[in-house]
Amino acid sequence: KDFKTGKVYYGVPYMSGSGDHREYNVAKLLDEGIYYDSGDGYYILNQKKFSGRNYYGNDCSCFVDAAIWGTNSSHSNDRTGDIAKSSAYKTIKSYDNLRTGDLICKGGNHVVMFLYYANAEKTKIMIIENGGSEKGTNTVHCSVMTASAYKKSGYKVRRLAYLD
């Protein structure tokens, strides 16, 4: 992907594939001093900590974990596969009654968060994700997608189990 030092990104850079660099979450990055608090409501990459390795990244689940659970929960490090099968979430059969914060998940491959319907027919949805659909995008971004594309690709809707 096209992450460049010296730029401000929203969220932790996305890194697909395997390797220990994709194991980072917000709490771990802050704890290790890789990012620091700007004092103005966002975090800055600590250039002194940045190594010659690729970069410190995470996967798509890091964003939704932080958004839903914060950094001090036992679920704050759930991987995409955990989200797909954990009893902390329940599967919702229909895309017709999505709620803000519902997760659209394909097994261990990818997870996005539903924000709102983008049309009255409820066929287009605004999602927010880390990495994923936009070429060259390597951090948190929003996209208007079709619900049917997710259905056809085998994505399931997952909602926090304690919600009605």
Side-chain angles (χ1 to χ4, degrees):
K1 303 266 182 172
D2 61 353
F3 176 73
K4 298 170 183 66
T5 60
K7 299 274 185 186
V8 175
Y9 291 86
Y10 293 95
V12 179
Y14 175 79
M15 184 178 196
S16 61
S18 60
D20 61 356
H21 285 148
R22 76 188 293 252
E23 301 294 325
Y24 278 85
N25 61 29
V26 174
K28 185 175 179 182
L29 287 164
L30 294 173
D31 187 52
E32 292 184 14
I34 297 165
Y35 280 77
Y36 61 91
D37 192 337
S38 70
D40 293 322
Y42 60 91
Y43 297 97
I44 299 171
L45 179 67
N46 183 350
Q47 297 289 335
K48 293 176 185 170
K49 288 276 193 169
F50 194 77
S51 73
R53 304 178 298 177
N54 291 330
Y55 55 81
Y56 298 94
N58 64 13
D59 69 356
C60 54
S61 62
C62 258
F63 165 72
V64 297
D65 291 343
I68 292 174
W69 303 102
T71 58
N72 295 319
S73 167
S74 62
H75 290 284
S76 62
N77 290 315
D78 283 356
R79 305 298 294 201
T80 310
D82 299 328
I83 293 168
K85 64 184 179 197
S86 170
S87 62
Y89 309 88
K90 62 184 174 186
T91 299
I92 306 301
K93 296 184 190 287
S94 173
Y95 280 72
D96 296 335
N97 294 306
L98 293 171
R99 297 180 186 171
T100 300
D102 281 349
L103 303 179
I104 301 171
C105 183
K106 184 175 184 181
N109 295 331
H110 194 49
V111 62
V112 303
M113 182 180 283
F114 171 78
L115 294 179
Y116 56 85
Y117 290 104
N119 63 356
E121 297 78 22
K122 297 184 177 181
T123 58
K124 293 186 179 184
I125 56 176
M126 177 67 78
I127 57 100
I128 188 167
E129 66 183 320
N130 192 32
S133 67
E134 286 187 28
K135 186 175 182 178
T137 301
N138 63 13
T139 191
V140 178
H141 64 281
C142 294
S143 303
V144 175
M145 306 295 280
T146 60
S148 63
Y150 282 108
K151 267 191 229 180
K152 288 177 185 172
S153 294
Y155 281 77
K156 306 282 187 218
V157 178
R158 300 283 281 161
R159 181 176 292 159
L160 290 174
Y162 64 82
L163 297 175
D164 301 332

